[in-house]
Amino acid sequence: MTEQPRFYLISLGCAKNLVDSEGIALLLTQAGYRQAEAPEAADVLLVNTCGFIQPARDESQEVLKDLIAHRHAGQKIVAAGCYSQYRPDELAAAIPGIDGLIGTRRWIDVVTLLEEMEHAPGNKKGPICHPSDVPLAREDTIGYPRLAVQGASAYLKLADGCRRTCAFCAIPLIKGSIVSRPLEEILADAQLAVESGVRELILIAQDTTDYGYDLGPAYNLARVLEELVRAVPQATWLRVMYAYPGRRQITDELIETMARHPQILPYLDLPLQHAHPNVLRRMRRPSNVEEMQRTIAHLQAAMPQIAIRTTFIVGFPGETEQEFQALLNFVEDTAFDRVGVFTYSHEEGTPAAVLPDDVAPEVKEERRRRLMVLQQPISLAKNQALLGQTLDVLIEGVGEDISVGRSYRDAPEVDGMVLVQAESPVGEIVPVRISDALEYDLIGDPVET
Ligand code: SF4
């Protein structure tokens, strides 16, 4: 290695992984590494993999294989993240050139891993695997920001892991149970982000509504929001992602807190996964559909302009056409603002793996398509209802005579955008009058203030 070793890091998967990638980069920088602009300039190539379903594992393998195919002599390759945690042997066998493996629970040991690799005689006996079964403890990350800044937005992690038992999900196997961060650490990260110019804090965890379960009754998401409102300037947007449906999670206190503070965006990402009670029971999810509807009605009554995003899984074991039809009816009746649809992926080790994966792949795909087609006119009508209104838009990019940004209705990556017919300042929140509506996106013009 050179005197100042350099690393190149690729982050795959979700925003939670991105936050871990930022943590890895910080640890390496503190240990004397420099971040390289391109893989060929690095001594160590790291991929923070995603691995909770097969397509994510395939993508992780492709990225690693590509790096190995183009690496030059002396370059070391490390696979970190969820795939390395979940199936280290499979990954090592599929990609013989990997030098080091470190699981998502122990990303904080990355410098130790690199030291071990430095003193190891090549990878002839396979990669060096850092012990990865030890769960991440609350103390492990104290003093380290759990933030990923993307332009004027930052993902802020409230907790790691998940204690739920959703039958289809491998996340609890991969990450372990919930470990909430100390509230003061979250507030310190929020202030750090705002000081660096961030205008939107996006609160994430596997289940944000479970925040504080392991800290005691005084801690919950409503309190995090209340304290964030006090800790950051009023102009900072606060957005809540990954809520769990249920009266004990979407509490009256949480809804009232969201409604009381204008800087908490009237937006909620509420993955419901299905809407037929029998499928929900098989999924080991809350199955009281009437209660789900009451929660949504309560949110809408408290915040009439609220944008609710949800996701569904189609083709879960045993899903009949009649059960799927109930989901279609539910989506039509509820008229969500945003809907994401995934086909069921059978994962070994999950509770659902004992059920037969009996919905044919083409039926899963067809149901996914039917649900998306059903939602499209609903999304369009929701967008058309905004014509003539003025929305605050956080500008994220600018070109000739056009800018692009997001309103409170759009989370980054997963929702739509607002095209602004002017060159507006990147990183600023500007009022925009909506003049045209597409299924996913809006078009508008800046309003002089
Ligand atoms: S709440 Fe989300 S992360 Fe947790 S087990 Fe269920 S689907 Fe997985």
Side-chain angles (χ1 to χ4, degrees):
M1 270 189 203
T2 58
E3 267 184 32
Q4 279 191 294
R6 281 181 285 182
F7 70 96
Y8 184 79
L9 175 57
I10 297 174
S11 190
L12 302 175
C14 65
K16 288 150 277 188
N17 219 29
L18 190 62
V19 171
D20 291 350
S21 297
E22 292 294 315
I24 289 172
L26 179 66
L27 287 169
L28 292 176
T29 310
Q30 286 177 341
Y33 286 78
R34 271 200 300 147
Q35 194 148 11
E37 297 284 310
E40 51 275 16
D43 303 289
V44 184
L45 305 168
L46 299 106
V47 180
N48 203 13
T49 62
C50 178
F52 79 117
I53 54 173
Q54 190 59 48
R57 292 193 289 276
D58 291 344
E59 187 196 6
S60 296
Q61 283 202 19
E62 287 308 311
V63 171
L64 281 159
K65 281 179 187 163
D66 190 54
L67 287 179
I68 286 169
H70 296 98
R71 77 164 153 193
H72 57 66
Q75 270 188 325
K76 300 268 175 125
I77 300 213
V78 173
C82 289
Y83 193 1
S84 306
Q85 179 78 45
Y86 187 27
R87 300 188 180 183
D89 297 341
E90 176 187 300
L91 186 53
I95 308 179
I98 296 175
D99 299 286
L101 272 173
I102 187 164
T104 188
R105 296 191 192 193
R106 297 307 300 175
W107 59 269
I108 51 162
D109 296 335
V110 65
V111 175
T112 311
L113 173 75
L114 295 195
E115 283 166 5
E116 288 172 16
M117 283 164 52
E118 184 80 353
H119 299 110
N123 77 334
K124 293 201 177 57
K125 290 188 189 151
I128 298 199
C129 299
H130 206 81
S132 59
D133 285 343
V134 194
L136 189 78
R138 186 169 301 115
E139 305 73 47
D140 287 336
T141 58
I142 286 184
Y144 286 98
R146 307 291 284 123
L147 272 176
V149 177
Q150 305 270 286
S153 300
Y155 293 101
L156 171 53
K157 215 183 226 195
L158 305 187
D160 269 299
C162 183
R163 72 185 170 98
R164 308 268 177 230
T165 54
C166 306
F168 50 80
C169 184
I171 295 291
L173 295 172
I174 298 171
K175 298 208 171 205
S177 192
I178 183 168
V179 179
S180 300
R181 299 182 64 213
L183 184 49
E184 56 273 23
E185 293 274 306
I186 294 169
L187 299 179
D189 283 359
Q191 281 163 341
L192 184 72
V194 168
E195 280 160 21
S196 69
V198 161
R199 304 294 305 272
E200 178 189 35
L201 290 166
I202 304 164
L203 310 188
I204 57 169
Q206 293 305 141
D207 168 7
T208 51
T209 46
D210 206 29
Y211 174 80
Y213 169 80
D214 52 331
L215 293 176
Y219 295 89
N220 57 34
L221 179 59
R223 177 161 172 208
V224 174
L225 287 166
E226 279 289 355
E227 302 229 7
L228 278 171
V229 164
R230 279 199 284 274
V232 299
Q234 261 193 347
T236 313
W237 287 358
L238 300 172
R239 184 186 298 279
V240 179
M241 301 297 288
Y242 314 131
Y244 187 87
R247 265 176 63 80
R248 265 173 285 162
Q249 287 76 35
I250 313 291
T251 58
D252 292 354
E253 184 192 9
L254 176 61
I255 296 174
E256 282 152 24
T257 303
M258 290 179 72
R260 191 163 51 242
H261 299 291
Q263 76 187 93
I264 304 173
L265 298 179
Y267 174 99
L268 192 65
D269 172 51
L270 184 62
L272 296 177
Q273 312 299 9
H274 211 279
H276 192 289
N278 292 350
V279 181
L280 286 165
R281 265 192 287 276
R282 294 202 295 278
M283 286 180 163
R284 303 191 185 180
R285 298 272 300 179
S287 60
N288 187 335
V289 177
E290 287 76 33
E291 190 172 288
M292 233 178 233
Q293 285 164 323
R294 276 197 295 276
T295 301
I296 292 167
H298 189 175
L299 283 161
Q300 289 168 332
M303 293 167 277
Q305 76 282 42
I306 191 169
I308 300 179
R309 169 183 180 77
T310 192
T311 45
F312 296 109
I313 295 174
V314 294
F316 188 79
E319 185 193 56
T320 62
E321 177 60 29
Q322 184 209 2
E323 288 167 341
F324 175 66
Q325 191 60 52
L327 173 58
L328 290 178
N329 295 344
F330 178 82
V331 169
E332 191 164 26
D333 293 346
T334 312
F336 293 97
D337 296 83
R338 317 281 188 205
V339 172
V341 189
F342 299 94
T343 52
Y344 170 71
S345 174
H346 208 55
E347 286 302 314
E348 267 176 46
T350 61
V354 299
L355 303 170
D357 186 11
D358 55 2
V359 181
E362 57 276 14
V363 176
K364 287 179 186 171
E365 188 48 42
E366 192 231 345
R367 289 181 183 170
R368 190 188 74 81
R369 194 189 51 76
R370 282 164 66 194
L371 189 43
M372 294 296 286
V373 167
L374 174 78
Q375 176 62 26
Q376 277 162 9
I378 299 171
S379 296
L380 180 61
K382 290 261 177 185
N383 274 354
Q384 284 171 336
L386 296 164
L387 290 174
Q389 290 190 28
T390 298
L391 299 180
D392 282 346
V393 174
L394 175 56
I395 302 296
E396 297 187 303
V398 64
E400 204 177 317
D401 296 332
I402 192 126
S403 316
V404 61
R406 290 179 291 107
S407 76
Y408 77 90
R409 300 171 52 76
D410 310 304
E413 312 274 334
V414 289
D415 294 328
M417 56 181 71
V418 183
L419 301 167
V420 185
Q421 302 180 117
E423 293 177 21
S424 298
V426 173
E428 293 297 319
I429 295 172
V430 300
V432 173
R433 182 166 295 118
I434 303 305
S435 58
D436 207 352
L438 312 171
E439 269 156 16
Y440 300 110
D441 304 325
L442 295 168
I443 298 172
D445 302 286
V447 178
E448 294 298 326
T449 52

